[in-house]
Amino acid sequence: MKFTLIASAALALAPLSASAAPAPATPVGTWEVTLTGADQGTAYVTFEDDNEFSGYGLSRNSLGLFTLSGTWTVDAAGKLTGNYTETINGDEITGTLTGKVAAKKITGSIASTIGSFKFNAKREVPTQSISGVWTGATAVGKVRMAEFYQITPSAFPHLYEISGEGTSLLTGSYSISGVALVGSKGKIRLAAVSIPDEDEPSFSSLTGTVNVNRKQNVLKGTHSSGLPIKVALAASPR
């Protein structure tokens, strides 16, 4: 009688033990991705439950927004594999990715036609709005410029469009256009084109952290002339 009761209890508990096993981690949802390696940048990537993903971002080498698309699979151990296509500066880059999916992060590497990358992703969170009028004290090498920007939200979350103008003693007045991608903890990446009245356009790629309530925010990066560029940003009162 005792053995019968023990066996019955074991059978009753068996389904409960099996159902208590943790479910495999899934990447489904939107992630903020940091890229390092052959290029450096930030992207927002959405993994769909049909095993496809898409995204967009800005990088040190992109003249504007780049886009991503591809397919993915994850096994029971959380190993991520997939392939992707990136469109950047009018060129198409292909590659494969491998990584590890956990509940709050994805890490891994990418082998592409332009080199190797590492990536680190965390779940998307709300980011601050940088909409409004901003001023910038800009230095390209030893040349100083005064700039004004109007920043407005784009059709993509976390992405803003920039328009404005600037003046310098060297080049005179010029127009400005570009995009800025806002990440968590105030991180921002910006790509902008300056077009003087009678000269060739120049390109700037900048990164840093921004707080709209701070009196001055500093972004640093590279200019198409090869010189370093630094911009001290300030938001106009709201």
Side-chain angles (χ1 to χ4, degrees), residues 6-227:
I6 292 173
S8 299
L11 288 171
L13 289 172
L16 295 176
S17 300
S19 64
T26 174
V28 172
T30 300
W31 300 75
E32 180 185 342
V33 182
T34 300
L35 295 167
T36 58
D39 198 1
Q40 300 177 14
T42 302
Y44 284 94
V45 178
T46 300
F47 290 82
E48 306 288 355
D49 54 14
D50 62 358
N51 294 99
E52 295 186 354
F53 67 82
S54 60
Y56 54 90
L58 286 177
S59 73
R60 178 186 56 193
N61 296 334
S62 66
L63 301 178
L65 197 68
F66 67 79
T67 58
L68 298 166
S69 62
T71 61
W72 64 272
T73 59
V74 174
D75 65 16
K79 181 181 179 181
L80 171 71
T81 56
N83 60 71
Y84 81 100
T85 299
E86 176 185 354
T87 302
I88 178 171
N89 302 336
D91 296 324
E92 193 170 271
I93 297 166
T94 58
T96 58
L97 58 93
T98 58
K100 179 72 173 180
V101 179
K104 295 183 179 181
K105 67 178 181 178
I106 305 175
T107 55
S109 60
I110 297 170
S112 82
T113 50
I114 63 166
S116 299
F117 299 85
K118 297 289 186 181
F119 66 88
N120 190 308
K122 55 188 177 183
R123 292 283 183 182
E124 175 193 35
V125 297
T127 54
Q128 67 178 326
S129 171
I130 60 170
S131 295
V133 177
W134 293 71
T135 59
T138 301
V140 179
K142 295 182 179 181
V143 179
R144 301 293 189 268
M145 290 155 281
E147 298 181 337
F148 300 87
Y149 323 100
Q150 177 70 53
I151 300 179
T152 56
S154 76
F156 297 96
H158 316 289
L159 184 71
Y160 293 80
E161 297 178 347
I162 302 169
S163 61
E165 59 184 18
T167 58
S168 80
L169 295 176
L170 184 63
T171 62
S173 62
Y174 53 92
S175 62
I176 301 167
S177 62
V179 288
L181 188 65
V182 178
S184 57
K185 298 182 179 179
K187 291 185 297 182
I188 188 170
R189 185 169 286 276
L190 184 151
V193 175
S194 300
I195 306 177
D197 290 339
E198 298 180 357
D199 205 346
E200 292 295 320
S202 61
F203 171 76
S204 301
S205 175
L206 297 133
T207 187
T209 59
V210 166
N211 183 325
V212 295
N213 297 315
R214 195 161 52 204
K215 290 184 178 180
Q216 188 179 89
N217 303 271
V218 177
L219 302 182
K220 297 180 180 180
T222 56
H223 187 264
S224 54
S225 65
L227 294 170

